[in-house]
């Protein structure tokens, strides 16, 4: 079985573990209060593009930010151009060190309550260096969803601009910085994938999915993922997924 770390765990991974009464623990309550304060200050528009809730699964980028691998500042603000250049210059070895630290955070989160489960994680930030990720997590199963760039780039622009609405006006170079980010991520991801082209299927860490097909028939896609990685797709798991899909239409 797989579980995904929640937003409150990504923001506050210490003290370690997910207690049974986690909604009553101080870490959850502090993060929930922070999100309420954020909405009160007028940052709630970000939720239209990407809803943030303390008790929802969340992307890795909030934990990766502790290694300065969060890109919002240098993409959004032209005064961070030197940070932008540093970000793209990071070597595999440097990023491998960052992933070692990230792994420790996940170990804290999973210390109790998640330690009997595989972790289900998500973030496009990993495309900065999939080689470094695989150095830290050699048994990782990496699932790629593909969308048209005419959909991806506007989505990036919308999410970043809404998430940083309180940082001032958007400057003329914002679009170019988004294009650089997306192209760096896409090209680096493909570069790593090419290294595995001649490997047999059972040694392939990657599984490719068209986003439109995922929306159209998610259960078939998930079944294919389970088969690729030799996982048991149980009737209970399928029923739980169908129930969630029915209650959360895309």
């Amino acid at each position: 079985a797989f579980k995904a770390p929640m937003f409150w765990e990504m923001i506050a991974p210490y003290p370690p573990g997910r207690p049974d009464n986690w909604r009553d623990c101080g870490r959850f309550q502090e993060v929930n209060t922070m999100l309420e304060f954020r909405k009160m200050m007028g940052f709630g528009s970000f939720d239209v593009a990407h809803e943030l809730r303390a008790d929802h699964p969340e992307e890795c980028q909030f934990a990766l930010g502790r290694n300065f691998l969060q890109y919002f500042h240098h993409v959004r603000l032209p005064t961070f151009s030197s940070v932008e250049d540093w970000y793209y210059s990071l070597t595999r070895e440097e990023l491998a060190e960052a992933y070692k630290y990230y792994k420790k955070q996940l170990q804290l989160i999973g210390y109790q309550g998640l330690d009997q489960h595989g972790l289900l994680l998500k973030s496009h930030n990993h495309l900065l260096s999939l080689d470094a990720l695989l150095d830290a997590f050699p048994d990782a199963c990496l699932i790629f969803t593909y969308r048209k760039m005419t959909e991806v780039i506007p989505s990036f622009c919308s999410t970043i601009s809404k998430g940083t609405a309180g940082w001032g006006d958007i400057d003329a170079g914002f679009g170019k910085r988004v294009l650089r980010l997306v192209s760096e991520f896409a090209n680096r991801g493909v570069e790593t994938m090419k290294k595995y082209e001649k490997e047999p299927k059972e040694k392939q860490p990657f599984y490719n999915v068209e986003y439109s097909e995922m929306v159209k028939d998610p259960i078939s896609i998930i079944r294919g993922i389970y088969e690729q990685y030799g996982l048991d797709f149980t009737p209970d798991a399928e029923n739980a997924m169908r129930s969630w899909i029915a209650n959360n239409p895309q």
Side-chain angles (χ1 to χ4, degrees):
F2 295 91
K3 286 194 176 182
M6 299 183 202
F7 181 78
W8 68 274
E9 293 172 310
M10 287 292 194
I11 296 296
Y14 186 84
R18 179 188 288 183
D20 292 335
N21 61 335
W22 55 267
R23 289 184 182 274
D24 297 323
C25 81
R27 291 159 58 208
F28 173 80
Q29 293 180 353
E30 287 175 11
V31 172
N32 201 41
T33 299
M34 178 196 73
L35 288 178
E36 292 299 322
F37 180 74
R38 179 178 157 276
K39 288 182 180 180
M40 186 179 70
M41 294 297 292
F43 288 96
S45 62
F46 179 63
D47 290 350
V48 175
H50 183 105
E51 184 181 14
L52 294 177
R53 283 186 52 176
D55 58 352
H56 274 199
E58 194 45 74
E59 297 187 20
C60 310
Q61 60 188 17
F62 293 96
L64 289 169
R66 295 188 182 91
N67 295 321
F68 301 98
L69 298 184
Q70 172 60 272
Y71 56 78
F72 268 43
H73 288 85
H74 67 74
V75 172
R76 178 65 167 78
L77 302 171
T79 51
F80 277 68
S81 58
S82 58
V83 177
E84 180 182 23
D85 292 336
W86 167 83
Y87 182 80
Y88 296 124
S89 72
L90 289 168
T91 65
R92 173 176 177 172
E93 291 72 26
E94 289 170 326
L95 287 164
E97 288 300 313
Y99 272 104
K100 288 178 184 177
Y101 183 65
Y102 174 58
K103 188 173 186 177
K104 289 181 179 179
Q105 295 179 62
L106 292 177
Q107 288 169 334
L108 284 174
I109 292 171
Y111 174 65
Q112 292 176 337
L114 293 180
D115 50 347
Q116 301 301 315
H117 301 273
L119 287 178
L120 185 62
L121 304 165
K122 174 198 172 188
S123 180
H124 48 268
N125 291 60
H126 299 308
L127 290 166
L128 187 64
S129 179
L130 293 174
D131 290 317
L133 183 152
L134 288 167
D135 287 341
F137 303 94
D139 57 346
C141 304
L142 304 177
I143 301 162
F144 281 77
T145 55
Y146 292 86
R147 298 178 73 180
K148 296 177 182 177
M149 282 297 174
T150 51
E151 297 173 352
V152 170
I153 292 169
S155 177
F156 258 95
C157 291
S158 174
T159 301
I160 296 171
S161 61
K162 286 186 170 79
T164 60
W167 296 10
D169 295 334
I170 299 288
D171 72 288
F174 172 67
K176 289 183 178 179
R177 294 193 296 275
V178 171
L179 282 174
R180 182 182 182 185
L181 179 77
V182 173
S183 63
E184 288 278 358
F185 280 179
N187 291 333
R188 292 179 185 216
V190 170
E191 192 175 308
T192 300
M193 292 177 69
K194 284 182 177 179
K195 298 175 184 178
Y196 292 85
E197 282 181 338
K198 296 182 180 179
E199 294 286 346
K201 183 179 179 181
E202 61 272 13
K203 291 187 177 181
Q204 288 276 353
F206 303 106
Y207 189 85
N208 299 312
V209 174
E210 285 287 345
Y211 180 75
S212 58
E213 294 299 315
M214 183 73 177
V215 174
K216 189 186 303 180
D217 190 0
I219 296 299
S220 292
I221 296 296
I222 294 168
R223 185 177 289 108
I225 292 169
Y226 272 65
E227 290 175 357
Q228 163 73 15
Y229 297 120
L231 303 171
D232 185 18
F233 191 46
T234 66
D236 287 345
E238 180 175 350
N239 290 336
M241 292 176 192
R242 290 189 181 278
S243 176
W244 191 91
I245 292 168
N247 293 320
N248 297 271
Q250 179 67 36

